[in-house]
Short mmCIF file of all heavy atoms in Angstrom, two decimals:
data_model
loop_
_atom_site.label_atom_id
_atom_site.label_comp_id
_atom_site.label_asym_id
_atom_site.label_seq_id
_atom_site.Cartn_x
_atom_site.Cartn_y
_atom_site.Cartn_z
N ASP A 6 -14.90 -40.81 -37.56
CA ASP A 6 -15.66 -40.58 -36.36
C ASP A 6 -17.08 -40.70 -36.80
O ASP A 6 -17.77 -39.66 -36.97
CB ASP A 6 -15.33 -39.16 -35.90
CG ASP A 6 -15.80 -38.96 -34.30
OD1 ASP A 6 -15.92 -39.95 -33.59
OD2 ASP A 6 -15.99 -37.80 -33.96
N THR A 26 -13.88 -44.38 -34.72
CA THR A 26 -14.45 -44.14 -33.38
C THR A 26 -15.94 -44.02 -33.39
O THR A 26 -16.44 -43.40 -34.32
CB THR A 26 -13.82 -42.95 -32.67
OG1 THR A 26 -13.93 -41.82 -33.59
CG2 THR A 26 -12.26 -43.07 -32.49
N THR A 27 -16.50 -44.59 -32.38
CA THR A 27 -17.96 -44.37 -32.37
C THR A 27 -18.25 -43.86 -30.92
O THR A 27 -17.34 -43.85 -30.08
CB THR A 27 -18.81 -45.66 -32.51
OG1 THR A 27 -18.49 -46.57 -31.41
CG2 THR A 27 -18.47 -46.29 -33.80
N ASN A 28 -19.49 -43.39 -30.72
CA ASN A 28 -19.86 -42.95 -29.30
C ASN A 28 -21.35 -43.12 -29.28
O ASN A 28 -21.97 -43.36 -30.37
CB ASN A 28 -19.37 -41.46 -28.99
CG ASN A 28 -19.99 -40.49 -29.86
OD1 ASN A 28 -21.18 -40.58 -30.19
ND2 ASN A 28 -19.23 -39.43 -30.23
N LEU A 31 -23.40 -41.10 -31.90
CA LEU A 31 -23.21 -41.53 -33.26
C LEU A 31 -24.09 -42.86 -33.47
O LEU A 31 -24.50 -43.02 -34.62
CB LEU A 31 -21.75 -41.80 -33.60
CG LEU A 31 -20.81 -40.49 -33.58
CD1 LEU A 31 -19.39 -40.90 -33.70
CD2 LEU A 31 -21.23 -39.55 -34.73
N LYS A 83 -13.81 -47.77 -25.13
CA LYS A 83 -13.75 -46.35 -24.86
C LYS A 83 -14.37 -46.14 -23.49
O LYS A 83 -15.50 -46.45 -23.25
CB LYS A 83 -14.56 -45.68 -25.91
CG LYS A 83 -14.09 -44.26 -26.27
CD LYS A 83 -14.90 -43.80 -27.48
CE LYS A 83 -14.55 -42.51 -28.02
NZ LYS A 83 -15.60 -42.03 -29.02
N ASN A 105 -9.45 -46.63 -25.15
CA ASN A 105 -9.40 -45.18 -25.61
C ASN A 105 -10.04 -44.45 -24.47
O ASN A 105 -11.18 -44.51 -24.19
CB ASN A 105 -10.14 -45.09 -26.88
CG ASN A 105 -10.38 -43.70 -27.40
OD1 ASN A 105 -9.95 -42.69 -26.81
ND2 ASN A 105 -11.08 -43.48 -28.52
N THR A 107 -11.77 -41.15 -23.23
CA THR A 107 -12.40 -40.14 -24.02
C THR A 107 -12.85 -38.97 -23.06
O THR A 107 -12.83 -39.00 -21.94
CB THR A 107 -13.59 -40.64 -24.77
OG1 THR A 107 -14.12 -39.64 -25.69
CG2 THR A 107 -14.69 -41.16 -23.85
N SER A 127 -8.23 -39.22 -25.96
CA SER A 127 -8.95 -38.39 -26.98
C SER A 127 -9.25 -36.98 -26.36
O SER A 127 -10.25 -36.78 -25.72
CB SER A 127 -10.31 -39.10 -27.15
OG SER A 127 -10.08 -40.23 -27.97
N PHE A 129 -10.80 -33.36 -27.00
CA PHE A 129 -11.87 -32.87 -27.80
C PHE A 129 -11.58 -31.40 -28.24
O PHE A 129 -11.97 -30.49 -27.43
CB PHE A 129 -13.25 -32.92 -27.08
CG PHE A 129 -13.77 -34.27 -27.12
CD1 PHE A 129 -13.09 -35.51 -27.13
CD2 PHE A 129 -15.17 -34.44 -27.16
CE1 PHE A 129 -13.73 -36.74 -27.15
CE2 PHE A 129 -15.90 -35.66 -27.26
CZ PHE A 129 -15.15 -36.90 -27.21
N ARG A 132 -14.94 -29.09 -29.09
CA ARG A 132 -15.85 -28.70 -27.87
C ARG A 132 -15.18 -27.63 -27.00
O ARG A 132 -15.82 -26.85 -26.35
CB ARG A 132 -16.29 -29.89 -27.08
CG ARG A 132 -17.18 -30.90 -27.84
CD ARG A 132 -17.81 -31.88 -26.96
NE ARG A 132 -18.47 -32.94 -27.77
CZ ARG A 132 -19.17 -33.90 -27.34
NH1 ARG A 132 -19.41 -34.00 -26.06
NH2 ARG A 132 -19.68 -34.84 -28.14
N ALA A 165 -9.78 -35.38 -31.15
CA ALA A 165 -11.16 -35.73 -31.47
C ALA A 165 -11.97 -34.47 -31.43
O ALA A 165 -11.42 -33.32 -31.25
CB ALA A 165 -11.68 -36.61 -30.35
N SER A 166 -13.25 -34.58 -31.83
CA SER A 166 -14.20 -33.43 -31.95
C SER A 166 -13.62 -32.40 -32.89
O SER A 166 -13.55 -31.24 -32.67
CB SER A 166 -14.31 -32.85 -30.48
OG SER A 166 -15.21 -31.74 -30.62
N ILE A 167 -13.29 -32.85 -34.15
CA ILE A 167 -12.69 -32.12 -35.17
C ILE A 167 -13.81 -31.37 -35.97
O ILE A 167 -14.82 -32.02 -36.27
CB ILE A 167 -11.78 -32.92 -36.04
CG1 ILE A 167 -10.41 -33.10 -35.25
CG2 ILE A 167 -11.59 -32.39 -37.46
CD1 ILE A 167 -9.46 -33.91 -35.92
N ARG A 168 -13.68 -30.10 -36.19
CA ARG A 168 -14.71 -29.31 -36.87
C ARG A 168 -14.41 -29.00 -38.29
O ARG A 168 -15.25 -28.53 -39.00
CB ARG A 168 -15.01 -28.16 -36.00
CG ARG A 168 -15.45 -28.35 -34.54
CD ARG A 168 -17.03 -28.46 -34.53
NE ARG A 168 -17.45 -28.44 -33.21
CZ ARG A 168 -17.68 -29.51 -32.35
NH1 ARG A 168 -17.39 -30.74 -32.88
NH2 ARG A 168 -18.05 -29.40 -31.20
N THR A 185 -9.37 -38.15 -35.29
CA THR A 185 -10.65 -38.83 -35.71
C THR A 185 -11.61 -37.73 -36.13
O THR A 185 -11.87 -36.70 -35.36
CB THR A 185 -11.28 -39.71 -34.67
OG1 THR A 185 -12.38 -40.42 -35.07
CG2 THR A 185 -11.60 -38.98 -33.26
C1 E4P B 301 -14.37 -38.88 -30.33
O1 E4P B 301 -14.17 -40.11 -30.20
C2 E4P B 301 -15.89 -38.39 -30.38
O2 E4P B 301 -16.65 -39.43 -30.92
C3 E4P B 301 -16.09 -37.19 -31.22
O3 E4P B 301 -14.82 -36.75 -31.89
C4 E4P B 301 -16.86 -36.17 -30.59
O4 E4P B 301 -17.07 -35.08 -31.46
P1 E4P B 301 -18.14 -33.94 -31.38
O5 E4P B 301 -17.64 -32.92 -30.41
O6 E4P B 301 -18.27 -33.46 -32.67
O7 E4P B 301 -19.44 -34.71 -30.87
#
Side-chain angles (χ1 to χ4, degrees):
D6 197 25
T26 53
T27 66
N28 64 38
L31 293 170
K83 209 176 184 190
N105 174 359
T107 191
S127 289
F129 278 36
R132 292 193 195 186
S166 185
I167 281 180
R168 300 274 192 265
T185 187

